[in-house]
């Protein structure tokens, strides 16, 4: 749920990076943190195990600039990818405004990708959200590794709806900002649609009909 | 679900999923009322810092000794904490652990969920006590519950001053120009 403060003229949105374990979700937001202007980003918070696996979530606050005089703040979260952290993963999706699915392009991770995407869809539906009707982009990561599946093969199973999708090499920063910017754009487009469904500025509004 | 649905929230309050999906729009008078409550609590509870966060981790208001305090991270971690204990509560067939207290060597944190929607965080030290904080938090909880109840029942329209109905593709593109 976007959070709009009319007094301070700020809007805050929550974006979540979801996907199978070791797929590159944390790497995405590490790259965003490293490559963003210092004044635009806050502190990257990582709740990880001693082995650097995400335990609960990673968090990065980011300011993208102004839109119609409103400061835009994005809160980026990753989920823990390992299968047995499902309960924690679901909690991160509370109040989400847009999702990135970070897929691992290696053939050995086909099942992990599909299971994770299905789980994401189910988790969202428990919060009353429909993955097919919300801001959503797919990122095919690790494109630099030998023997990866073709984008067409990945797309057939992970993106049949044809949402915006991107090839990425997250550890080199390739595709990372394209993914983020496209999702942020979709969030604003969705917000505009929501606002346009509101009652108009007629004197007595027609609320509650 | 957008702000248009906020006026249904009173009826939907028992469905946290639906509530979470609604856009929250705070008007100037809301912000002033919330800030007054939070400022009063800092003074009356002898607290170091008080802040109010929504369950998705967005900071709504803060007061007290905020210098060198990373309130954005605190807000996110607090929401994560409440989400995690909420998950534990569900497993135990409890509705929620609405109140939490974390005791440190020098600093202590009291967390209170209000109207199933926001989290009131009080950070205090030896200048105050858990009893005093609990007492003052109770009063503030009543005040803020009223604010968020009214906010959730208020019919919203574009007249609230949000410009997002009129944004253009160009506005969005400009956001990414640098």
């Amino acid at each position: 749920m976007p959070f709009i403060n009319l007094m301070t003229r700020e809007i805050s949105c929550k974006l979540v990076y979801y996907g199978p374990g070791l797929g590159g979700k944390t790497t995405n937001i590490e790259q965003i943190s490293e490559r963003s202007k210092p004044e635009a980003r806050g502190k990257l918070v990582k709740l990880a195990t001693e082995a650097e696996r995400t335990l609960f979530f990673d968090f990065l606050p980011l300011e993208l600039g102004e839109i119609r005089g409103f400061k835009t703040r994005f809160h980026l979260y990753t989920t823990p990818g390992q299968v047995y952290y499902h309960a924690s993963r679901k909690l991160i999706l509370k109040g989400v405004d847009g999702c990135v699915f970070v897929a691992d392009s290696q053939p050995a991770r086909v099942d992990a990708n599909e299971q994770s995407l299905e789980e994401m869809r189910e988790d969202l539906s428990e919060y009353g959200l429909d993955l097919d009707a919300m801001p959503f982009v797919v990122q095919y990561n690790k494109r630099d590794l030998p023997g990866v599946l073709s984008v067409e093969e990945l797309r057939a199973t992970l993106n049949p709806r044809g949402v915006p999708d991107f090839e990425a090499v997250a550890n080199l920063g390739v595709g990372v900002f394209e993914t983020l910017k496209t999702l942020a754009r979709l969030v604003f487009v969705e917000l505009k649609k929501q606002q346009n469904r509101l009652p108009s500025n007629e004197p007595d509004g027609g609320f509650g009909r | 679900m957008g702000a248009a649905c906020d006026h249904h929230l009173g009826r939907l309050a028992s469905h946290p999923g639906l509530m979470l999906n609604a856009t929250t729009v705070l008007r100037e008078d809301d912000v002033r009322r919330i800030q007054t409550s939070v400022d009063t609590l800092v003074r009356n509870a002898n607290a170091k810092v008080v802040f109010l966060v929504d369950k998705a981790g967005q900071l709504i208001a803060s007061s007290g000794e905020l210098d060198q305090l990373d309130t954005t991270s605190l807000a996110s971690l607090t929401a994560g904490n409440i989400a995690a204990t909420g998950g534990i509560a569900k497993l135990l067939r409890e509705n929620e652990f609405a109140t939490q207290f974390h005791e440190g060597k020098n600093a202590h944190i009291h967390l209170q969920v209000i109207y199933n929607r926001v989290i009131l965080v009080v950070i205090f030290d030896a200048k105050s006590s858990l009893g005093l904080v609990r007492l003052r938090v109770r009063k503030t909880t009543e005040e803020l519950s009223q604010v968020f109840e009214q906010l959730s029942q208020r019919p919203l329209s574009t007249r609230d001053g949000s410009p997002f109905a009129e944004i253009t593709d160009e506005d969005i593109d400009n956001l990414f120009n640098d």
Side-chain angles (χ1 to χ4, degrees):
Chain A
M1 66 173 185
F3 197 100
I4 302 171
N5 187 324
L6 296 174
M7 186 170 169
T8 56
R9 298 184 74 75
E10 289 174 354
I11 176 165
S12 307
C13 305
K14 177 175 180 177
L15 309 181
V16 174
Y17 286 70
Y18 201 103
L22 293 173
K25 301 176 291 298
T26 299
T27 308
N28 261 271
I29 74 164
E30 281 174 343
Q31 286 290 328
I32 293 165
S33 176
E34 282 172 24
R35 292 165 188 255
S36 298
K37 291 179 194 162
E39 63 273 21
R41 60 171 151 81
K43 191 180 163 197
L44 174 62
V45 174
K46 292 200 269 185
L47 300 181
T49 65
E50 285 179 8
E52 289 284 306
R53 301 295 301 272
T54 304
L55 177 63
F56 193 9
F57 59 80
D58 307 309
F59 167 69
L60 178 70
L62 195 67
E63 275 187 27
L64 279 186
E66 288 198 359
I67 195 161
R68 297 260 172 148
F70 273 65
K71 271 189 202 165
T72 59
R73 295 182 195 279
F74 283 87
H75 287 180
L76 277 47
Y77 287 82
T78 67
T79 55
Q82 285 159 290
V83 172
Y84 49 83
Y85 289 142
H86 179 210
S88 307
R89 194 156 46 238
K90 195 165 121 187
L91 295 172
I92 312 301
L93 289 171
K94 269 187 188 172
V96 65
D97 297 307
C99 293
V100 179
F101 184 79
V102 181
D104 189 325
S105 299
Q106 300 176 93
R109 300 299 283 163
V110 167
D111 289 346
N113 285 332
E114 289 184 32
Q115 281 167 17
S116 179
L117 183 62
E118 192 50 39
E119 184 190 270
M120 179 186 180
R121 183 181 293 281
E122 286 169 15
D123 290 348
L124 287 166
S125 72
E126 288 192 34
Y127 292 125
L129 293 167
D130 178 2
L131 182 61
D132 292 336
M134 65 182 289
F136 175 50
V137 298
V138 178
Q139 182 187 83
Y140 311 116
N141 193 23
K142 307 193 185 183
R143 298 306 298 164
D144 59 329
L145 295 185
V148 293
L149 295 169
S150 70
V151 168
E152 288 69 31
E153 286 171 299
L154 289 161
R155 196 174 273 152
T157 51
L158 302 176
N159 189 15
R161 181 160 72 98
V163 299
D165 53 7
F166 301 90
E167 295 186 64
V169 184
N171 59 351
L172 300 178
V174 177
V176 167
F177 276 92
E178 290 83 347
T179 305
L180 170 67
K181 286 177 178 182
T182 302
L183 184 62
R185 162 181 271 282
L186 292 179
V187 167
F188 279 115
V189 170
E190 178 62 23
L191 181 63
K192 181 182 176 179
K193 275 195 226 161
Q194 288 178 358
Q195 296 279 304
N196 280 318
R197 285 197 292 265
L198 288 175
S200 69
N201 290 338
E202 297 296 319
D204 65 284
F207 306 135
R209 284 176 200 162
Chain B
M1 182 183 288
C5 299
D6 260 8
H7 65 288
H8 294 305
L9 288 182
R11 273 170 272 154
L12 297 177
S14 61
H15 196 312
L18 289 175
M19 193 145 132
L20 276 164
N21 301 340
T23 299
T24 301
V25 180
L26 288 182
R27 298 192 313 211
E28 195 169 330
D29 54 324
D30 302 322
V31 177
R32 288 194 197 286
R33 281 175 73 188
I34 292 167
Q35 192 62 48
T36 302
S37 286
V38 166
D39 288 342
T40 306
L41 180 59
V42 166
R43 284 196 306 274
N44 290 351
N46 283 342
K48 285 171 76 76
V49 176
V50 171
F51 57 98
L52 190 71
V53 187
D54 86 332
K55 278 193 163 184
Q58 317 281 6
L59 182 68
I60 299 171
S62 56
S63 187
E65 299 168 29
L66 298 164
D67 295 346
Q68 296 175 341
L69 198 62
D70 181 355
T71 48
T72 308
S73 297
L74 267 172
S76 159
L77 290 168
T78 302
N81 185 346
I82 290 291
T85 48
I88 294 169
K90 265 193 181 169
L91 292 174
L92 300 178
R93 296 185 185 159
E94 273 286 327
N95 181 31
E96 186 164 51
F97 295 120
T99 309
Q100 289 182 38
F101 173 58
H102 300 288
E103 186 175 5
K105 196 174 170 193
N106 299 310
H108 320 298
I109 300 184
H110 186 279
L111 306 173
Q112 179 69 47
V113 178
I114 297 177
Y115 199 62
N116 194 29
R117 185 162 184 170
V118 291
I119 307 155
L120 180 65
V121 184
V122 181
I123 302 175
F124 63 100
D125 59 14
K127 288 181 201 151
S128 186
S129 67
L130 179 57
L132 179 64
V133 169
R134 276 192 170 148
L135 180 72
R136 302 304 191 200
V137 162
R138 208 172 298 154
K139 171 100 182 350
T140 309
T141 300
E142 285 172 20
E143 292 169 5
L144 293 176
S145 292
Q146 281 180 11
V147 173
F148 283 93
E149 188 178 356
Q150 286 168 11
L151 197 149
S152 68
Q153 289 172 353
R154 177 200 305 155
L156 285 176
S157 80
T158 47
R159 78 174 101 181
D160 276 329
S162 159
F164 293 97
E166 284 94 38
I167 53 174
T168 61
D169 285 351
E170 198 183 350
D171 288 329
I172 299 173
D173 287 339
N174 287 341
L175 195 58
F176 301 119
N177 273 350
D178 49 17

